[in-house]
Amino acid sequence: MISQFAPIVLAFGANLGDRAATIAAAQQELAAHPQITEWQASPLVCSAKVTLTGVDHAGPAYLNGVATAVTTLQPLELLCLLQDLETKYGRIRDQKWGDRTLDIDIISYAGVVQRTPELTLPHPLAHTRDFVLAPWLLLDPHAVLLRHGRVSDLLQRLGNTTAVYDSEQERV
């Protein structure tokens, strides 16, 4: 059993449909959940599609963001809530790293380190993803990813290929 108030970091991504609206709606639902408090969301960033074989610049681009909060949900309860939201917003799980209307990952949960068939904490690939690190750094310049170090150092080593999302530019 985890402590009653667990700080969490969540990552959001979408590359199909009205990406910004979908992420915003999902974030609003999570922020209003009775077992989630202290919600803070990053600005969104644009990133190229990543597949199992590498970056696909021709594929539909992603919008990504990060949010921090505190929850009284246990890790698997939180995972179920996030997967239910993904399904609600049209997520179809037919291809690993395939296109999606909404993806929500638990990046960290109260400093917990675990590996189960359902959930690995902290997220096993977060330290390799600029589309997670860049918005997280925009939200919290002092962020630290458990077992990997300061987010700013990780992003500097990795390189940042993202761009801050500008909804006005997209309408042009």
Side-chain angles (χ1 to χ4, degrees):
M1 186 86 144
I2 309 302
S3 78
Q4 186 175 0
F5 298 100
I8 57 174
V9 178
L10 304 176
F12 297 79
N15 76 330
L16 296 177
D18 190 343
R19 304 164 304 159
T22 300
I23 291 171
Q27 288 183 346
Q28 288 170 355
E29 285 193 48
L30 288 167
H33 191 281
Q35 290 181 271
I36 297 175
T37 61
E38 300 180 36
W39 184 267
Q40 293 186 9
S42 73
L44 297 178
V45 299
C46 300
S47 66
K49 178 180 176 179
V50 177
T51 69
L52 288 171
T53 58
V55 177
D56 177 5
H57 293 287
Y62 272 84
L63 284 185
N64 299 94
V66 167
T68 59
V70 173
T71 187
T72 56
L73 294 167
Q74 294 298 306
L76 289 179
E77 292 174 320
L78 178 61
L79 180 63
C80 286
L81 173 65
L82 301 179
Q83 289 177 341
D84 287 349
L85 267 178
E86 290 174 339
T87 300
K88 176 181 177 178
Y89 287 97
R91 168 86 184 260
I92 298 171
R93 296 176 186 280
D94 62 350
Q95 179 184 7
K96 187 174 177 101
W97 292 12
D99 293 331
R100 55 200 62 175
T101 56
L102 182 63
D103 182 43
I104 311 172
D105 290 331
I106 303 171
I107 302 303
S108 67
Y109 180 101
V112 170
V113 176
Q114 78 174 39
R115 180 171 289 220
T116 67
E118 300 84 16
L119 181 62
T120 300
L121 294 169
H123 190 286
L125 296 175
H127 68 287
T128 67
R129 295 178 167 174
D130 63 343
F131 55 85
V132 170
L133 301 174
W136 191 3
L137 192 59
L138 291 171
L139 180 61
D140 179 2
H142 305 290
V144 174
L145 178 58
L146 182 66
R147 303 183 98 183
H148 295 284
R150 292 175 49 92
V151 169
S152 59
D153 295 340
L154 295 170
L155 188 58
Q156 184 176 11
R157 281 194 297 272
L158 187 61
N160 185 2
T161 63
T162 71
V164 175
Y165 172 67
D166 179 351
S167 61
E168 294 302 315
Q169 276 186 334
E170 190 160 282
R171 291 185 196 145
V172 174

